[in-house]
Amino acid sequence: MFLTISTSGTPESPATDLGFLLHKHPDKSQTFSTSHGTAHVLYPEASVERCTAALLLEVDPVALVRRGKGKGRGGAPDAALAQYVNDRPYAASSLLAVALSSVFSSAMRGVCNARPERAGQPLPLHIEVPALPARGGADLVRKLFEPLGWTVTVTRVPLDEQFPEWGESRYVHLVLDVPEGKLTLRDALRHLYVLLPVLDDAKHYWVSADEVDKLLRAGEGWLADHPEQKVITSRYLARRWSLTREAMQRLELVRLADADDTDVDDLDNAVDEESADAEAEEGSDKTVPLAVLRREAILAALSAAGAGRVLDLGCGQGQLVQALLKDTRFTEIAGVDVSMRALTIASRRLKLDRMGERQAERVKLFQGSLAYTDKRLKGYDAAVLSEVIEHLDEERLPALEYAVFGSARPRTVLVTTPNVEYNVRWETLPAGHVRHGDHRFEWTREEFRGWARQVAERRAYGVEFVPIGDDDPEVGPPTQMAVFTQADKSEKTDEYAKNTQNAKEVRAA
């Protein structure tokens, strides 16, 4: 396997700085042991104007077989022969990608102590890979590299030049060029590390869970927005569905964080429902946590609305989804949250991996941001935003309004949020503090109703307000809920009130 990396330079910025960036001296030929053979680094040319570094990998086929434990993929009948008669020693693949990361590890991290100012500077680069398997052809090669800023030249390699009638092979001669000011050497090496095995569509080693971390590290800064992200992720992870799904979800979180100009950890913050407002209420319902009362009120409202297909937007750790699953009237439940951490906890809570087939068909969890429209949210009877809006900055509420009430547009929308007036009744809550550290605001009853009525008027919904918990005559209930119903469904509100009263009577009994 062979690969060359070239750059040009000037007396002020000599091309031979490539040797410093790669941590390999241009005047020496160096040899390195890898897990499947020997890697050689040499410089066919090294001058101020132009410098080329070459990586030659000699694969040991016996070592490759031994490390593979003598078994071909899937136990194919011809696997024993395929282990020895194959293209592994000659065509760029995951073997070459692993050699790149091993031999040029510092360069891939962008570290250069000798020339630190050059490590972060984009370079004019010319890369050649003489023999590259390309499952998907030249078109896929261009789709993978061109969005990253490369000028791509792909030449198909014939099966045999002496017999042109045999046609072309699946191998290509790849030339990549990028002008100065576009990419750093670190970027270039990371592109190659990921995309070489993607084009080969095979890995020479078992793909385990840590491959997701490797992919995301190498794909930092470019993979989240790549138009062929799904193909890259699937192929790099050897088409293992569970790993591909995890990687795609984590990449979506990166994209959302970039779009919101925030940190990933700020988005991926599974919110603990057992905060101040989940404590036992003061008064007659002292032993019933507010979180339980809230879920009871939501279930009653959904039942009154006749909802069968329900969205739990901002589902957190899945408490409401779990309650919905226990009621067979809800035929389809979707939990949506921006936090992968929360969705992981929800999946464990629901025991999705052990759930029966019929039950599993009723529920799904997926990642999404309520600040963006999402076609997956359309077609549901009802949507619930339980203790969600207060976790958003107020200037983001118009985007949420459009995504839920304008785009998804379920028949019924339930919104619950803390009543800040009631906070004085919490003995453990210091004066002036919100109930949870992530709350961006907490509204009075008047503020919440003003916002809800404006939304209802703009989006052609009717709205009614329902207290949850002890309705204090002075400060109101601890939680306030708005029941939005599309204009022609307002008669459901009376039925909801009846169901709520019935639930209270059952608790009292």
Side-chain angles (χ1 to χ4, degrees):
M1 297 184 194
F2 193 66
L3 174 148
T4 61
I5 303 172
S6 304
T7 188
S8 57
T10 64
E12 294 76 23
S13 299
T16 48
D17 280 352
L18 180 64
F20 289 105
L21 297 176
L22 292 174
H23 296 255
K24 305 293 180 288
H25 200 289
D27 292 340
K28 295 190 295 184
S29 174
Q30 300 179 57
T31 301
F32 305 88
S33 295
T34 72
S35 56
H36 294 91
T38 303
H40 305 270
V41 177
L42 57 147
Y43 287 79
E45 56 182 338
S47 66
V48 170
E49 294 78 20
R50 186 173 176 82
C51 184
T52 298
L55 175 64
L56 172 66
L57 178 63
E58 292 183 297
V59 176
D60 181 353
V62 175
L64 189 62
V65 172
R66 286 174 178 169
R67 288 185 177 272
K69 297 181 181 179
K71 297 180 180 178
R73 176 178 289 183
D78 60 348
L81 180 62
Q83 290 164 357
Y84 295 96
V85 183
N86 55 51
D87 62 358
R88 300 294 91 177
Y90 314 108
S93 64
S94 60
L95 289 163
L96 186 59
V98 170
L100 271 174
S101 67
S102 175
V103 175
F104 300 137
S105 59
S106 296
M108 283 189 64
R109 297 197 309 272
V111 175
C112 181
N113 295 330
R115 296 285 191 276
E117 73 286 353
R118 293 284 275 161
Q121 290 178 355
L123 302 175
L125 293 170
H126 175 87
I127 295 177
E128 288 195 46
V129 185
L132 173 66
R135 298 182 189 273
D139 287 343
L140 180 59
V141 177
R142 295 188 183 96
K143 287 179 180 179
L144 294 180
F145 283 100
E146 287 180 348
L148 301 174
W150 294 101
T151 298
V152 181
T153 304
V154 185
T155 305
R156 295 296 297 266
V157 177
L159 281 173
D160 193 314
E161 293 180 355
Q162 301 300 317
F163 299 94
E165 65 272 15
W166 288 3
E168 296 175 332
S169 69
R170 68 182 182 94
Y171 303 93
V172 300
H173 181 128
L174 175 65
V175 178
L176 301 172
D177 289 284
V178 67
E180 188 171 8
K182 288 280 188 179
L183 295 173
T184 64
L185 179 63
R186 184 195 72 162
D187 295 333
L189 293 175
R190 290 184 174 191
H191 296 168
L192 292 170
Y193 174 76
V194 172
L195 297 181
L196 290 181
V198 166
L199 284 166
D200 187 27
D201 198 14
K203 285 284 185 80
H204 68 277
Y205 56 88
W206 173 252
V207 175
S208 57
D210 64 346
E211 289 295 298
V212 175
D213 293 327
K214 293 179 185 177
L215 173 63
L216 297 185
R217 281 197 300 269
E220 182 181 359
W222 62 271
L223 183 54
D225 296 317
H226 198 292
E228 298 298 326
Q229 177 197 108
K230 187 173 182 179
V231 172
I232 294 171
T233 305
S234 176
R235 286 192 173 197
Y236 183 88
L237 297 171
R239 302 180 185 271
R240 292 192 61 189
W241 178 81
S242 60
L243 298 182
T244 302
R245 180 181 62 178
E246 179 188 347
M248 294 289 288
Q249 289 171 337
R250 289 170 62 179
L251 286 167
E252 175 65 8
L253 193 62
V254 171
R255 188 189 68 80
L256 293 173
D258 288 342
D260 285 347
D261 193 24
T262 187
D263 190 80
V264 170
D265 289 338
D266 291 337
L267 283 180
D268 198 11
N269 57 346
V271 176
D272 186 2
E273 191 178 34
E274 304 304 322
S275 55
D277 72 343
E279 296 178 8
E281 277 196 81
E282 299 290 338
S284 60
D285 289 323
K286 188 174 182 179
T287 60
V288 182
L290 181 56
V292 174
L293 296 175
R294 191 161 50 232
R295 284 195 290 272
E296 288 178 352
I298 291 169
L299 292 171
L302 293 173
S303 177
R309 304 178 69 238
V310 179
L311 282 168
D312 183 7
L313 302 176
C315 66
Q317 301 173 27
Q319 291 93 334
L320 179 59
V321 173
Q322 187 177 43
L324 290 167
L325 273 173
K326 294 177 181 178
D327 192 330
T328 57
R329 288 176 294 185
F330 304 114
T331 57
E332 184 177 341
I333 303 127
V336 184
D337 204 285
V338 72
S339 170
M340 274 308 304
R341 194 175 307 159
L343 292 173
T344 300
I345 295 171
S347 178
R348 291 172 184 165
R349 176 188 295 274
L350 299 171
K351 298 180 175 62
L352 289 183
D353 56 338
R354 289 178 281 170
M355 190 176 286
E357 183 177 351
R358 181 173 297 181
Q359 188 81 328
E361 290 176 351
R362 294 176 58 211
V363 62
K364 57 185 174 182
L365 303 175
F366 57 86
Q367 184 185 40
S369 170
L370 301 183
Y372 303 95
T373 57
D374 190 333
K375 63 183 180 181
R376 296 174 297 179
L377 306 184
K378 294 184 178 181
Y380 285 83
D381 301 326
V384 179
L385 293 100
S386 179
E387 310 302 283
V388 169
I389 60 172
E390 64 272 13
H391 291 275
L392 300 175
D393 294 319
E394 289 193 59
E395 58 266 25
R396 305 288 290 175
L397 291 179
L400 176 144
E401 175 191 329
Y402 178 74
V404 177
F405 294 89
S407 177
R409 200 163 178 77
R411 293 201 313 265
T412 302
V413 181
L414 309 181
V415 180
T416 75
T417 193
N419 168 24
V420 70
E421 298 170 77
Y422 193 89
N423 286 0
V424 296
R425 296 292 189 256
W426 298 116
E427 296 180 358
T428 59
L429 186 65
H433 283 235
V434 293
R435 300 186 197 177
H436 191 283
D438 190 54
H439 286 186
R440 311 303 170 86
F441 63 86
E442 288 180 355
W443 279 336
T444 65
R445 288 168 290 175
E446 183 178 353
E447 289 170 330
F448 178 56
R449 293 182 181 191
W451 171 81
R453 288 180 177 130
Q454 290 175 11
V455 171
E457 183 178 354
R458 285 192 292 263
R459 303 300 174 183
Y461 278 80
V463 62
E464 296 290 339
F465 301 96
V466 179
I468 298 177
D470 179 29
D471 196 358
D472 189 288
E474 295 181 5
V475 297
T479 295
Q480 45 193 339
M481 179 166 72
V483 181
F484 295 87
T485 312
Q486 284 187 14
D488 58 343
K489 301 292 181 180
S490 57
E491 68 273 10
K492 294 290 184 180
T493 303
D494 291 339
E495 186 178 350
Y496 163 74
K498 185 187 300 183
N499 283 4
T500 302
Q501 183 60 36
N502 289 342
K504 289 184 177 180
E505 292 174 356
V506 168
R507 282 200 306 274

